[in-house]
Amino acid sequence: MTTAEDNEAAARRLFEEVWQNHDYDAVDELVAEDYVLHDPSMPEDAEWPGGREGYRQMAEMGAGIVDGRLEIEQLLSTGDHVVIRWKQTGTHVGEMGNIEPTNEEVTITGIEIDRFEDGKLAETWQEVGMLPMLMQVGAVPEDLFSSELPADD
């Protein structure tokens, strides 16, 4: 039986080995074969494999879009779940949908809830701050939101 501490260690290894050091072979050891991702920022109509292969492709795709350091800003674990708040700062070097690389410095943030089963990542619910990144690369106008507060009527 795995403990919350075991799951926390596995989550840290995923971030360090797979996401930071691009060691995609570690996916086989750390991710369940039937892994499931819940992410509203992923295109619904995209053909995206599930399981380990889907996780590996997601990590490779992420490394190809932003070249920069990924940091865990906060990590909380309880039972089978680990919650991670993360940030990546780097250069926008890869195509993202129909947005060409801009070579702009970007910061992207996210929060995920990971569920572990038998010491392996089984399921993720994640929210990625795509809108600020799209504003940073000029795909969305920076003045999209007014800095003025609405007047009281």
Side-chain angles (χ1 to χ4, degrees):
M1 182 173 156
T2 58
T3 65
E5 291 79 17
D6 295 331
N7 294 331
E8 182 177 325
R12 286 187 187 282
R13 281 190 61 204
L14 276 165
F15 265 77
E16 291 169 12
E17 294 177 30
V18 176
W19 292 94
Q20 187 60 39
N21 298 331
H22 312 295
D23 176 6
Y24 304 115
D25 291 337
V27 170
D28 293 334
E29 179 186 346
L30 297 167
V31 178
E33 192 172 324
D34 58 350
Y35 169 78
V36 177
L37 171 67
H38 307 279
D39 182 347
S41 72
M42 299 297 268
E44 286 183 27
D45 58 348
E47 290 186 32
W48 196 263
R52 275 189 198 128
E53 187 55 31
Y55 189 91
R56 183 184 332 274
Q57 285 186 22
M58 178 177 56
E60 290 174 351
M61 179 189 72
I65 294 173
V66 176
D67 180 18
R69 180 147 183 79
L70 183 72
E71 334 173 19
I72 294 175
E73 294 194 308
Q74 188 172 23
L75 187 146
L76 306 167
S77 61
T78 180
D80 293 337
H81 291 83
V82 177
V83 179
I84 301 170
R85 185 171 55 86
W86 55 265
K87 173 174 81 172
Q88 184 176 24
T89 302
T91 306
H92 174 222
V93 295
E95 190 174 307
M96 185 174 57
N98 60 3
I99 301 168
E100 294 294 322
T102 62
N103 294 313
E104 293 288 330
E105 186 78 12
V106 296
T107 297
I108 188 164
T109 60
I111 296 175
E112 64 185 66
I113 301 169
D114 294 327
R115 183 179 64 80
F116 287 81
E117 190 173 290
D118 299 323
K120 294 187 182 216
L121 179 61
E123 196 166 13
T124 299
W125 294 264
Q126 92 180 353
E127 295 286 334
V128 178
M130 296 302 293
L131 183 58
M133 182 189 171
L134 293 171
M135 293 169 80
Q136 292 167 44
V137 299
V140 174
E142 286 191 27
D143 63 352
L144 180 64
F145 300 103
S146 172
S147 60
E148 294 180 26
L149 296 174
D152 289 337
D153 291 334

